[in-house]
Amino acid sequence: MPSAPLPRSFYARPTVEVARDLLGKILVHGRTAGRIIETEAYLGSQDEASHAFRGPTPRNRVMFGPPGHAYVYFIYGMYECMNVVTETDGTAGAVLIRALEPLRGIETMRRRRPHAKREQDLTSGPGKLTIALGITRRQNGADLTRGPLTIPPPDHPLQFEIESTPRIGIRRCADWPLRFLLRYP
DNA sequence: CAATAGATCATCT
DNA sequence: GATGATCTATTGC
């Protein structure tokens, strides 16, 4: 009996708390799944690096909506990145899923990313993991508390530490330590 | 090893 | 017209 998806109350909290607590949880899409090992927090009106900084637009509107939904956007003409919407309805906030440890459906992932050499390279970046799990803009706005795209906790508790560093690939607020990594003891 | 160029397009200026 | 919450292959030490 697999674990139930995290409830909406998990996401209806400050973005940094959610970003740290997502480490170790399982991202499931269809028959593929991976353990979340790297996240980044993107705040709302105070965070110049956030898509939500200049207010709602057609692209970022789900960041302003209810928590526990997916915000998937297209970047660099090629890639899609998946976020989890946080905070209460009406307040922008999201956590970018930056890396996973492949757990299930690894053959499917290999088929989708035939150039990945090592197994961990299948999902070792925000653009890679969406390809490996088959996540696209069609999942933008998807409810993470039910449906094919969910985030259950692990079946067995896991011992790990959390490392925090500056976020990657941004220019504004480049020194804020809002990137979180799962480190095994 | 590290550094960099090219791919390619939605969004914003 | 430029930029970007990226990835990969290639070039250069």
Side-chain angles (χ1 to χ4, degrees):
Chain A
M1 179 74 178
S3 305
L6 295 166
R8 198 164 316 282
S9 57
F10 176 91
Y11 302 101
R13 295 185 295 147
T15 305
V16 171
E17 280 183 33
V18 178
R20 297 175 62 96
D21 290 347
L22 277 172
L23 294 175
K25 303 297 191 290
I26 314 299
L27 178 62
V28 178
H29 187 222
R31 272 175 266 270
T32 57
R35 187 192 321 282
I36 298 172
I37 57 174
E38 185 178 337
T39 62
E40 279 179 1
Y42 284 88
L43 284 30
S45 54
Q46 312 302 312
D47 183 359
E48 288 190 75
S50 172
H51 290 168
F53 179 65
R54 291 169 201 285
T57 68
R59 174 173 70 158
N60 67 21
R61 67 185 164 78
V62 313
M63 272 187 81
F64 291 83
H69 291 254
Y71 167 45
V72 185
Y73 67 89
F74 187 65
I75 187 84
Y76 298 129
M78 256 190 198
Y79 297 104
E80 278 146 312
C81 295
M82 179 191 161
N83 297 250
V84 164
V85 176
T86 59
E87 309 279 353
T88 56
D89 193 357
T91 300
V95 175
L96 173 68
I97 310 297
R98 282 198 63 88
L100 306 173
E101 191 179 287
L103 292 178
R104 293 208 309 269
I106 291 174
E107 287 315 306
T108 301
M109 298 187 196
R110 284 200 185 286
R111 201 167 59 242
R112 290 170 174 159
R113 285 187 36 73
H115 294 291
K117 285 183 66 78
R118 299 169 302 171
E119 183 173 302
Q120 66 190 43
D121 296 331
L122 289 167
T123 53
S124 59
K128 301 178 191 176
L129 69 90
T130 53
I131 295 170
L133 299 216
I135 296 169
T136 71
R137 278 163 289 175
R138 287 210 314 278
Q139 277 74 46
N140 189 39
D143 188 350
L144 299 173
T145 66
R146 62 193 181 80
L149 183 61
T150 57
I151 307 184
D155 290 332
H156 303 290
L158 187 67
Q159 190 96 50
F160 62 86
E161 291 160 7
I162 297 175
E163 178 182 353
S164 64
T165 77
R167 294 176 290 185
I168 299 292
I170 57 170
R171 306 201 301 185
R172 321 298 304 208
C173 308
D175 53 343
W176 294 11
L178 295 183
R179 175 177 178 238
F180 303 100
L181 300 103
L182 182 158
R183 287 278 185 247
Y184 294 104

